[in-house]
Structures are given as C-alpha cells and as structure tokens.
Amino acid sequence: MRGTVPGRGGTAYPVPSERPRRLRATPALRRMVAQTRLHPAELVLPVFVRDGIDEPHPISSMPGVVQHTPASLLVAAREAVDAGVGGIMVFGVPRDADKDATGSCGTAPGGVLNQALTSLRETLGDDTVLMSDLCLDEFTDHGHCGVLDDRGRVDNDATLARYAEMAVVQADAGAHVVAPSGMMDGQVRVVRQALDEAGHQDVSVLAYTAKYASGCYGPFREAVGSTLRGDRSTYQQDPANRTESLRELRLDLDEGADLVMVKPALPYLDVLSDVAALADVPVAAYQVSGEYAMIEAAVGHGWLDRDRMVLETLTSIRRAGAQVVLSYYAVHAARLLGGSRG
Ligand code: PBG
C-alpha cells in the first residue's frame, strides 16, 4: 500500500506513486535523457552584405549584427565556419541608386549579392553550405518582393520569371542552396525548372513554405534598407491561419522543394510542429530579426540572460520539429555549445 504524509487537522495525503523528478536529479541524468540536442552543424547564420560602404555598418535595431562590406563578409563567414556553423544565408543590400522597378541588380552577375556569393564560394569552397536569399525586395525601388502590375499590385506570374532568372544567376555564382522567400504561388516549380535547364541539377531549393506577414521582420527592413511602404499581406500568410501552411507544404513538396521552412519561428511553433509531422524533407525554421531584437532589448535592460535565452529558444524550435535553424545567434550559440567542425 502507498504511504501517506500527515496533513492538516489529522488528514493524510498520499505520497506520489510516480516520481518524474528522479530523472532530473543530477546534470548527468538530465544530459542522458535529454530528448533534444543542439548541434552547431544545424545552425545557419544569416548575413547582410552592402554595396558602397567602406566599413561594416551597425544595424541599430539588431545590436551586434552589421551590414558587411564584401571584405568583412569573407572574414565573418570564415569565423562562422570555424565556429562550426552549418551554413550561411546571404542577403544583399544594393545602393539606393541601383534599385529599380524590376530589381535588376538582383539578377546582374555583378550585383552585390551575386558578387558576394562568388567570392564566398571561391574562399570557402564546399566547407560550408552557401545559401542565397532569392527575392526581389532588397533590389526593387518600391520594396515589394515581386514586380508590380499597372495597378501597383504584386504580379505573381510576372515575378516568377524574375525568380527563375535570379535562381540561375545565384547558382552560377556558387550558391549550394537557393531560398525563394517571396511567397509567390508556383515559385518552387519555376525555380527548379530554371535550375535544371541551366545544368544546376545539384543546386537545392530551400522553400520558404510557411512565411507569415509578421511584425517580427521590422529590424530586417532596417538591415536591408527597405523602402517598402505598406505591407506584404497580399502574398505572405495571415498569422490567424494554421491549416493554410499544410497547403503551402503540399504545393512546395509537389513542386520539388528539397527543404522547407517555417518563418518566423517562436510565435509559430504550432505551425512548425504541423509541418514537421508531414514533411518528408528536412524542415528549417527562421528565428527572425524581431525575435533576435526582443531578446537583445531585454538583455540590454538586464531583464533576461542572453545565453539561457539563446539556448532555450533554439532548443524549443528544434523540439517543435525544425532540423535546421536560421538564427542571428548561430555563431554565438555554436561557441556556447563548444562546437567545432566535423
Ligand atoms: C524577404 C525576407 C524578409 C526576411 C527574410 N527574407 C523580410 C520580409 O519578408 O519582409 C526577414 C528576415 C528577418 O526578419 O530576419 N526577402
């Protein structure tokens, strides 16, 4: 019979029959039974490279993150690889004067992003996974992710042709993975077909599958010098919706996505869990600029402990089902984890 403990006024309370706390008693026990582990190889560092600056330029809403010069980018990328980080996602920031309605500097082989990809691939070879943001918003003067029709709306099908062109230029420049992030319908199929026709059968497509119209991208807009007025609600998903992500997943898998992504991460762990349950390709999640900024702001006030928050948020994103996590903390986390290559 189970024992009791004496309670108030002569009552007896049963002692617990099960004791989950046993497995929490020592660090060694906790380590042994931990279900989710972080490894630097699963972390991807997003980086920004800006045309026309002589030294790295701080991003005020993302303390500790900078817009790189082409030269400082190479140093930072090498550091990330040496810290054990698994991949690098590159975003380009052109000069304002180079922006136009169709984002032509995004497809110019000499454009800031394509140049950076070329030199990163030359410097790093296959030491890391070189990923490239495939979207027009950094390059258009109106700041939208696609080209506009004569009424100023984002023209889905006209944008697809631009993405196809961009995919080939990025693959030519040396990207191992291209990441269409514009949420145009049919973008994965078109990008896959364009890559195959250009002989880039070995270049993978990381689809931004479930990408929500989120307030969490605020600091990113500063990071890429975005000129956007208004929002992206006609092409990015409504935060109110959950099952829609499964539809986006079905389409991206049908269209040939090699990896799929959910973004942002922490406010969308339910979506991430749904997608991870059904995807038969690796699932990535993006801890975006606003998620980074929230932690940094609180750390700056002395309200949160940075290292704990970094490890806890990344662990939660992994636990919800992400196999790969994009994070501005990738290098910091890799160092906390004592990561090394191999
Ligand atoms: C669009 C793009 C965005 C981000 C990545 N790709 C911005 C947007 O959709 O408005 C945001 C990433 C971040 O906030 O860290 N090309």
Side-chain angles (χ1 to χ4, degrees):
M1 208 193 78
R2 247 191 287 157
T4 56
V5 285
R8 255 160 50 95
T11 28
Y13 297 123
V15 300
S17 56
E18 285 201 50
R19 296 187 181 272
R21 281 186 55 195
R22 268 188 210 118
L23 293 179
R24 301 174 196 148
T26 70
L29 269 166
R30 295 195 292 273
R31 189 173 62 227
M32 186 182 77
V33 301
Q35 269 190 296
T36 308
R37 287 177 212 283
L38 288 175
H39 192 281
E42 299 151 347
L43 301 176
V44 172
L45 179 70
V47 292
F48 303 101
V49 58
R50 178 169 166 187
D51 198 7
I53 53 172
D54 296 329
E55 48 188 85
H57 186 82
I59 301 162
S60 63
S61 52
M62 300 177 76
V65 179
V66 299
Q67 295 171 324
H68 281 289
T69 68
S72 74
L73 176 67
L74 294 182
V75 177
R78 173 53 72 188
E79 264 172 31
V81 173
D82 289 345
V85 162
I88 294 169
M89 172 72 79
V90 192
F91 294 91
V93 188
R95 297 168 197 254
D96 280 344
D98 289 336
K99 297 183 181 183
D100 59 22
T102 58
S104 46
C105 54
T107 44
V112 61
L113 174 57
N114 301 317
Q115 277 291 310
L117 292 169
T118 305
S119 40
L120 282 167
R121 184 62 186 267
E122 270 169 17
T123 310
L124 298 171
D126 291 336
D127 287 358
T128 190
V129 181
L130 186 57
M131 303 184 177
S132 167
D133 183 56
L134 201 172
C135 196
L136 289 174
D137 63 316
E138 290 100 272
F139 305 103
T140 52
D141 51 12
H142 46 72
H144 275 295
C145 295
V147 295
L148 307 181
D149 66 15
D150 50 13
R151 290 170 56 189
R153 299 171 306 187
V154 175
D155 185 334
N156 191 89
D157 301 6
T159 301
L160 295 181
R162 296 288 296 129
Y163 286 178
E165 204 183 330
M166 200 169 184
V168 174
V169 175
Q170 294 181 345
D172 286 345
H176 294 98
V177 176
V178 298
S181 65
M183 291 303 279
M184 295 303 130
D185 293 336
Q187 62 186 10
V188 172
R189 189 184 306 283
V190 165
V191 163
R192 182 71 266 161
Q193 187 182 329
L195 289 171
D196 288 349
E197 284 170 5
H200 287 299
Q201 280 81 3
D202 52 348
V203 170
S204 300
V205 178
L206 161 58
Y208 282 65
T209 292
K211 178 173 178 182
Y212 285 85
S214 172
C216 293
Y217 308 145
F220 177 92
R221 306 269 164 91
E222 181 196 347
V224 299
S226 173
T227 51
L228 182 71
R229 270 171 282 140
D231 61 37
R232 308 196 197 286
S233 302
T234 66
Y235 42 108
Q236 298 180 350
Q237 290 171 252
D238 185 338
N241 294 344
R242 184 165 174 173
T243 44
E244 187 183 35
S245 289
L246 299 181
R247 187 180 191 195
E248 292 283 2
L249 173 66
R250 171 172 55 80
L251 292 169
D252 282 354
L253 292 175
D254 279 356
E255 292 178 23
D258 299 289
L259 305 103
V260 295
M261 182 146 75
V262 174
K263 171 188 176 184
L266 213 57
Y268 296 88
L269 291 185
D270 56 337
V271 174
L272 178 55
S273 167
D274 288 353
V275 167
L278 290 177
D280 60 359
V281 299
V283 176
Y286 197 148
Q287 182 178 48
V288 300
S289 58
E291 296 178 71
Y292 176 90
M294 284 193 274
I295 294 174
E296 285 303 302
V299 168
H301 282 287
W303 295 340
L304 290 175
D305 179 86
R306 178 186 288 116
D307 293 355
R308 284 196 68 171
M309 289 308 296
V310 168
L311 294 178
E312 183 177 338
T313 54
L314 293 176
T315 299
S316 298
I317 294 163
R318 289 268 297 113
R319 190 194 62 235
Q323 205 173 317
V324 174
V325 186
L326 282 74
S327 171
Y328 300 97
Y329 287 120
V331 174
H332 184 73
R335 290 185 179 140
L336 289 177
L337 296 167
S340 62
R341 289 168 62 186

